[in-house]
Amino acid sequence: MEIQEIVVLLLAAGGVFFAIVAAIGLVRLPDVYTRTHSASKSETFGAVLTLTAVAITFGWDLSSLKTVLLLVFMFLTNPTAAHAIVRAAADQDIEPWTTEDEES
């Protein structure tokens, strides 16, 4: 196994790990704010790792350029979408989840 294959395998495994973390966060976290945080951070990082593995696999050609453009698009849209979702929740007066100790 060559060093390039090992790097691609590690990047892809890291991408899958962070995608699973994002999915678990969406299911397990209590409110829209924490779910959005989990989805935006973990999913973006997982996608970056996975797309980097794809770019390394294809080498330097048009496919890699498209992958880099997709990464740039994701860096621009994921935080923007998360911000828009959280702002819409705040505008609708959705309260963040708190424990009973924090409420009193």
Side-chain angles (χ1 to χ4, degrees):
M1 184 177 269
E2 294 182 20
I3 190 76
Q4 180 181 354
E5 293 172 341
I6 294 171
V7 169
V8 168
L9 183 63
L10 290 175
L11 288 171
V16 169
F17 172 75
F18 281 103
I20 290 172
V21 168
I24 291 171
L26 282 175
V27 173
R28 297 286 300 164
L29 293 176
D31 66 353
V32 67
Y33 301 105
T34 55
R35 288 178 182 163
T36 304
H37 175 77
S38 169
S40 65
K41 306 292 185 220
S42 300
E43 185 57 35
T44 301
F45 193 57
V48 165
L49 291 176
T50 305
L51 289 174
T52 304
V54 169
I56 291 173
T57 300
F58 285 138
W60 188 244
D61 64 354
L62 185 60
S63 299
S64 295
L65 179 63
K66 290 178 181 177
T67 304
V68 170
L69 291 174
L70 184 58
L71 279 170
V72 171
F73 179 75
M74 290 189 68
F75 276 129
L76 293 176
T77 57
N78 279 359
T80 305
H83 178 77
I85 291 169
V86 169
R87 187 170 187 124
D91 287 345
Q92 294 186 2
D93 296 327
I94 296 174
E95 295 292 324
W97 178 82
T98 58
T99 60
E100 292 179 17
D101 295 338
E102 293 175 355
E103 291 178 357
S104 56

Short mmCIF file of all heavy atoms in Angstrom, two decimals, residues 2-45:
data_model
loop_
_atom_site.label_atom_id
_atom_site.label_comp_id
_atom_site.label_asym_id
_atom_site.label_seq_id
_atom_site.Cartn_x
_atom_site.Cartn_y
_atom_site.Cartn_z
N GLU A 2 0.66 2.13 -0.94
CA GLU A 2 1.46 3.35 -1.06
C GLU A 2 1.03 4.39 -0.04
O GLU A 2 -0.06 4.32 0.52
CB GLU A 2 1.31 3.93 -2.46
CG GLU A 2 1.89 3.06 -3.55
CD GLU A 2 1.76 3.72 -4.91
OE1 GLU A 2 1.57 4.95 -4.96
OE2 GLU A 2 1.82 3.00 -5.89
N ILE A 3 1.90 5.38 0.16
CA ILE A 3 1.61 6.44 1.14
C ILE A 3 0.38 7.25 0.72
O ILE A 3 -0.41 7.66 1.57
CB ILE A 3 2.85 7.35 1.35
CG1 ILE A 3 2.63 8.29 2.52
CG2 ILE A 3 3.17 8.14 0.12
CD1 ILE A 3 2.77 7.60 3.83
N GLN A 4 0.19 7.44 -0.59
CA GLN A 4 -0.98 8.18 -1.07
C GLN A 4 -2.27 7.44 -0.73
O GLN A 4 -3.26 8.06 -0.32
CB GLN A 4 -0.89 8.40 -2.58
CG GLN A 4 -2.08 9.17 -3.13
CD GLN A 4 -2.00 9.37 -4.63
OE1 GLN A 4 -1.01 9.04 -5.25
NE2 GLN A 4 -3.05 9.90 -5.21
N GLU A 5 -2.26 6.16 -0.86
CA GLU A 5 -3.45 5.37 -0.54
C GLU A 5 -3.75 5.42 0.97
O GLU A 5 -4.92 5.48 1.37
CB GLU A 5 -3.26 3.92 -0.98
CG GLU A 5 -3.18 3.76 -2.48
CD GLU A 5 -2.79 2.35 -2.89
OE1 GLU A 5 -2.24 1.60 -2.06
OE2 GLU A 5 -3.04 2.01 -4.07
N ILE A 6 -2.71 5.42 1.78
CA ILE A 6 -2.91 5.51 3.22
C ILE A 6 -3.51 6.86 3.60
O ILE A 6 -4.45 6.94 4.40
CB ILE A 6 -1.59 5.26 3.96
CG1 ILE A 6 -1.14 3.81 3.74
CG2 ILE A 6 -1.72 5.57 5.45
CD1 ILE A 6 0.27 3.51 4.23
N VAL A 7 -2.99 7.93 2.99
CA VAL A 7 -3.52 9.28 3.27
C VAL A 7 -4.98 9.38 2.84
O VAL A 7 -5.82 9.90 3.58
CB VAL A 7 -2.65 10.34 2.56
CG1 VAL A 7 -3.31 11.71 2.61
CG2 VAL A 7 -1.27 10.39 3.19
N VAL A 8 -5.29 8.86 1.67
CA VAL A 8 -6.68 8.90 1.19
C VAL A 8 -7.58 8.09 2.11
O VAL A 8 -8.69 8.53 2.46
CB VAL A 8 -6.76 8.36 -0.26
CG1 VAL A 8 -8.20 8.11 -0.67
CG2 VAL A 8 -6.10 9.34 -1.21
N LEU A 9 -7.11 6.95 2.54
CA LEU A 9 -7.90 6.12 3.46
C LEU A 9 -8.15 6.84 4.79
O LEU A 9 -9.28 6.84 5.31
CB LEU A 9 -7.20 4.79 3.70
CG LEU A 9 -7.93 3.79 4.57
CD1 LEU A 9 -9.23 3.37 3.90
CD2 LEU A 9 -7.05 2.59 4.84
N LEU A 10 -7.12 7.48 5.33
CA LEU A 10 -7.28 8.21 6.60
C LEU A 10 -8.23 9.40 6.45
O LEU A 10 -9.07 9.66 7.32
CB LEU A 10 -5.93 8.66 7.13
CG LEU A 10 -5.01 7.55 7.63
CD1 LEU A 10 -3.64 8.12 8.01
CD2 LEU A 10 -5.62 6.82 8.80
N LEU A 11 -8.09 10.13 5.35
CA LEU A 11 -8.98 11.27 5.12
C LEU A 11 -10.43 10.83 4.94
O LEU A 11 -11.35 11.43 5.50
CB LEU A 11 -8.52 12.07 3.90
CG LEU A 11 -7.24 12.89 4.07
CD1 LEU A 11 -6.78 13.44 2.73
CD2 LEU A 11 -7.47 14.01 5.05
N ALA A 12 -10.63 9.77 4.18
CA ALA A 12 -12.00 9.27 3.98
C ALA A 12 -12.58 8.75 5.29
O ALA A 12 -13.76 9.00 5.60
CB ALA A 12 -12.01 8.19 2.91
N ALA A 13 -11.78 8.05 6.07
CA ALA A 13 -12.26 7.56 7.37
C ALA A 13 -12.60 8.72 8.30
O ALA A 13 -13.61 8.69 9.01
CB ALA A 13 -11.21 6.66 8.01
N GLY A 14 -11.77 9.77 8.29
CA GLY A 14 -12.07 10.95 9.09
C GLY A 14 -13.35 11.63 8.63
O GLY A 14 -14.16 12.09 9.45
N GLY A 15 -13.55 11.69 7.32
CA GLY A 15 -14.78 12.29 6.79
C GLY A 15 -16.02 11.51 7.20
O GLY A 15 -17.03 12.10 7.59
N VAL A 16 -15.93 10.21 7.15
CA VAL A 16 -17.06 9.38 7.57
C VAL A 16 -17.31 9.55 9.07
O VAL A 16 -18.46 9.66 9.51
CB VAL A 16 -16.80 7.90 7.22
CG1 VAL A 16 -17.83 6.99 7.88
CG2 VAL A 16 -16.81 7.70 5.72
N PHE A 17 -16.24 9.60 9.86
CA PHE A 17 -16.39 9.79 11.30
C PHE A 17 -17.13 11.09 11.62
O PHE A 17 -18.09 11.10 12.40
CB PHE A 17 -15.01 9.80 11.97
CG PHE A 17 -15.06 10.18 13.42
CD1 PHE A 17 -15.52 9.28 14.38
CD2 PHE A 17 -14.68 11.45 13.84
CE1 PHE A 17 -15.58 9.63 15.72
CE2 PHE A 17 -14.74 11.81 15.17
CZ PHE A 17 -15.20 10.89 16.12
N PHE A 18 -16.72 12.19 11.01
CA PHE A 18 -17.37 13.46 11.31
C PHE A 18 -18.79 13.53 10.75
O PHE A 18 -19.66 14.20 11.33
CB PHE A 18 -16.52 14.63 10.83
CG PHE A 18 -15.39 14.93 11.76
CD1 PHE A 18 -14.10 14.54 11.45
CD2 PHE A 18 -15.62 15.56 12.96
CE1 PHE A 18 -13.05 14.78 12.32
CE2 PHE A 18 -14.58 15.81 13.84
CZ PHE A 18 -13.30 15.42 13.52
N ALA A 19 -19.07 12.84 9.66
CA ALA A 19 -20.44 12.77 9.16
C ALA A 19 -21.33 12.01 10.15
O ALA A 19 -22.48 12.40 10.39
CB ALA A 19 -20.47 12.10 7.79
N ILE A 20 -20.79 10.94 10.73
CA ILE A 20 -21.55 10.19 11.74
C ILE A 20 -21.76 11.04 12.99
O ILE A 20 -22.84 11.04 13.58
CB ILE A 20 -20.84 8.86 12.06
CG1 ILE A 20 -20.95 7.93 10.85
CG2 ILE A 20 -21.41 8.20 13.30
CD1 ILE A 20 -20.12 6.67 10.96
N VAL A 21 -20.73 11.79 13.40
CA VAL A 21 -20.87 12.68 14.56
C VAL A 21 -21.97 13.72 14.30
O VAL A 21 -22.79 14.00 15.18
CB VAL A 21 -19.53 13.37 14.88
CG1 VAL A 21 -19.71 14.52 15.86
CG2 VAL A 21 -18.54 12.35 15.43
N ALA A 22 -22.02 14.25 13.10
CA ALA A 22 -23.06 15.23 12.77
C ALA A 22 -24.44 14.59 12.81
O ALA A 22 -25.40 15.18 13.33
CB ALA A 22 -22.81 15.83 11.39
N ALA A 23 -24.56 13.38 12.30
CA ALA A 23 -25.86 12.69 12.32
C ALA A 23 -26.29 12.38 13.74
O ALA A 23 -27.47 12.56 14.09
CB ALA A 23 -25.77 11.41 11.49
N ILE A 24 -25.36 11.93 14.57
CA ILE A 24 -25.70 11.65 15.97
C ILE A 24 -26.10 12.95 16.68
O ILE A 24 -27.04 12.98 17.47
CB ILE A 24 -24.51 10.96 16.68
CG1 ILE A 24 -24.34 9.55 16.13
CG2 ILE A 24 -24.71 10.93 18.19
CD1 ILE A 24 -23.08 8.84 16.60
N GLY A 25 -25.40 14.04 16.38
CA GLY A 25 -25.74 15.32 16.98
C GLY A 25 -27.15 15.78 16.60
O GLY A 25 -27.87 16.32 17.42
N LEU A 26 -27.53 15.54 15.36
CA LEU A 26 -28.89 15.91 14.94
C LEU A 26 -29.94 15.12 15.69
O LEU A 26 -31.02 15.62 16.00
CB LEU A 26 -29.05 15.69 13.43
CG LEU A 26 -28.43 16.74 12.54
CD1 LEU A 26 -28.56 16.34 11.08
CD2 LEU A 26 -29.10 18.09 12.76
N VAL A 27 -29.64 13.88 15.99
CA VAL A 27 -30.62 13.04 16.67
C VAL A 27 -30.62 13.27 18.18
O VAL A 27 -31.67 13.32 18.80
CB VAL A 27 -30.33 11.55 16.35
CG1 VAL A 27 -31.22 10.63 17.17
CG2 VAL A 27 -30.50 11.28 14.87
N ARG A 28 -29.45 13.45 18.77
CA ARG A 28 -29.33 13.45 20.22
C ARG A 28 -29.44 14.83 20.88
O ARG A 28 -29.82 14.92 22.04
CB ARG A 28 -27.99 12.84 20.63
CG ARG A 28 -27.83 11.39 20.26
CD ARG A 28 -28.66 10.49 21.13
NE ARG A 28 -28.22 10.67 22.50
CZ ARG A 28 -28.90 10.28 23.55
NH1 ARG A 28 -30.04 9.68 23.39
NH2 ARG A 28 -28.44 10.48 24.76
N LEU A 29 -29.10 15.89 20.20
CA LEU A 29 -29.07 17.20 20.86
C LEU A 29 -30.49 17.76 21.02
O LEU A 29 -31.38 17.46 20.23
CB LEU A 29 -28.17 18.15 20.10
CG LEU A 29 -26.69 17.74 20.15
CD1 LEU A 29 -25.84 18.66 19.30
CD2 LEU A 29 -26.17 17.71 21.57
N PRO A 30 -30.71 18.60 22.05
CA PRO A 30 -32.07 18.90 22.46
C PRO A 30 -32.81 19.99 21.69
O PRO A 30 -34.04 20.00 21.69
CB PRO A 30 -31.89 19.34 23.92
CG PRO A 30 -30.52 19.89 23.98
CD PRO A 30 -29.72 19.09 23.02
N ASP A 31 -32.14 20.94 21.07
CA ASP A 31 -32.89 22.02 20.43
C ASP A 31 -32.27 22.40 19.09
O ASP A 31 -31.23 21.88 18.69
CB ASP A 31 -32.98 23.23 21.34
CG ASP A 31 -31.66 23.89 21.61
OD1 ASP A 31 -30.64 23.32 21.20
OD2 ASP A 31 -31.64 24.96 22.24
N VAL A 32 -32.92 23.32 18.41
CA VAL A 32 -32.50 23.69 17.05
C VAL A 32 -31.12 24.34 17.04
O VAL A 32 -30.35 24.16 16.09
CB VAL A 32 -33.56 24.59 16.38
CG1 VAL A 32 -33.64 25.94 17.07
CG2 VAL A 32 -33.28 24.76 14.91
N TYR A 33 -30.79 25.05 18.09
CA TYR A 33 -29.51 25.75 18.12
C TYR A 33 -28.33 24.78 18.21
O TYR A 33 -27.35 24.90 17.47
CB TYR A 33 -29.48 26.73 19.30
CG TYR A 33 -30.58 27.75 19.24
CD1 TYR A 33 -31.68 27.65 20.07
CD2 TYR A 33 -30.52 28.79 18.33
CE1 TYR A 33 -32.70 28.58 20.00
CE2 TYR A 33 -31.54 29.72 18.25
CZ TYR A 33 -32.63 29.61 19.09
OH TYR A 33 -33.63 30.53 19.01
N THR A 34 -28.44 23.84 19.10
CA THR A 34 -27.35 22.87 19.25
C THR A 34 -27.31 21.91 18.06
O THR A 34 -26.24 21.49 17.63
CB THR A 34 -27.49 22.09 20.56
OG1 THR A 34 -28.78 21.50 20.63
CG2 THR A 34 -27.26 22.99 21.75
N ARG A 35 -28.47 21.56 17.53
CA ARG A 35 -28.50 20.69 16.34
C ARG A 35 -27.86 21.38 15.14
O ARG A 35 -27.12 20.77 14.37
CB ARG A 35 -29.93 20.30 16.01
CG ARG A 35 -30.50 19.33 16.99
CD ARG A 35 -31.93 19.00 16.66
NE ARG A 35 -32.47 18.10 17.66
CZ ARG A 35 -33.74 17.89 17.85
NH1 ARG A 35 -34.63 18.52 17.10
NH2 ARG A 35 -34.14 17.07 18.78
N THR A 36 -28.14 22.65 14.98
CA THR A 36 -27.54 23.40 13.88
C THR A 36 -26.03 23.49 14.05
O THR A 36 -25.28 23.36 13.07
CB THR A 36 -28.15 24.81 13.81
OG1 THR A 36 -29.55 24.69 13.69
CG2 THR A 36 -27.60 25.58 12.63
N HIS A 37 -25.59 23.70 15.28
CA HIS A 37 -24.16 23.75 15.55
C HIS A 37 -23.51 22.42 15.17
O HIS A 37 -22.48 22.39 14.48
CB HIS A 37 -23.92 24.06 17.03
CG HIS A 37 -22.50 24.01 17.44
ND1 HIS A 37 -21.61 25.02 17.16
CD2 HIS A 37 -21.79 23.06 18.07
CE1 HIS A 37 -20.43 24.70 17.62
NE2 HIS A 37 -20.51 23.51 18.18
N SER A 38 -24.10 21.34 15.60
CA SER A 38 -23.55 20.02 15.30
C SER A 38 -23.51 19.77 13.79
O SER A 38 -22.49 19.31 13.26
CB SER A 38 -24.39 18.94 15.98
OG SER A 38 -24.04 17.67 15.51
N ALA A 39 -24.59 20.07 13.14
CA ALA A 39 -24.65 19.79 11.70
C ALA A 39 -23.68 20.66 10.91
O ALA A 39 -23.01 20.17 9.99
CB ALA A 39 -26.08 20.01 11.20
N SER A 40 -23.59 21.93 11.27
CA SER A 40 -22.74 22.82 10.46
C SER A 40 -21.26 22.54 10.66
O SER A 40 -20.50 22.45 9.68
CB SER A 40 -23.06 24.27 10.77
OG SER A 40 -22.73 24.57 12.11
N LYS A 41 -20.84 22.38 11.88
CA LYS A 41 -19.40 22.19 12.13
C LYS A 41 -18.92 20.81 11.70
O LYS A 41 -17.97 20.67 10.92
CB LYS A 41 -19.08 22.38 13.62
CG LYS A 41 -19.55 23.66 14.21
CD LYS A 41 -18.81 24.82 13.66
CE LYS A 41 -19.27 26.06 14.41
NZ LYS A 41 -19.44 27.19 13.61
N SER A 42 -19.57 19.79 12.21
CA SER A 42 -19.10 18.43 11.95
C SER A 42 -19.29 18.03 10.49
O SER A 42 -18.41 17.40 9.89
CB SER A 42 -19.84 17.43 12.84
OG SER A 42 -19.62 17.73 14.18
N GLU A 43 -20.42 18.39 9.92
CA GLU A 43 -20.67 18.00 8.53
C GLU A 43 -19.73 18.74 7.58
O GLU A 43 -19.25 18.14 6.61
CB GLU A 43 -22.13 18.26 8.17
CG GLU A 43 -22.50 17.77 6.80
CD GLU A 43 -22.25 16.28 6.61
OE1 GLU A 43 -22.43 15.51 7.56
OE2 GLU A 43 -21.86 15.89 5.51
N THR A 44 -19.45 19.99 7.84
CA THR A 44 -18.51 20.72 6.99
C THR A 44 -17.13 20.09 7.07
O THR A 44 -16.48 19.86 6.03
CB THR A 44 -18.45 22.19 7.41
OG1 THR A 44 -19.74 22.77 7.30
CG2 THR A 44 -17.47 22.96 6.54
N PHE A 45 -16.68 19.78 8.26
CA PHE A 45 -15.35 19.19 8.41
C PHE A 45 -15.29 17.80 7.78
O PHE A 45 -14.31 17.44 7.12
CB PHE A 45 -14.95 19.13 9.88
CG PHE A 45 -13.50 18.84 10.10
CD1 PHE A 45 -12.52 19.64 9.55
CD2 PHE A 45 -13.11 17.74 10.84
CE1 PHE A 45 -11.18 19.36 9.74
CE2 PHE A 45 -11.78 17.45 11.03
CZ PHE A 45 -10.81 18.26 10.48
#
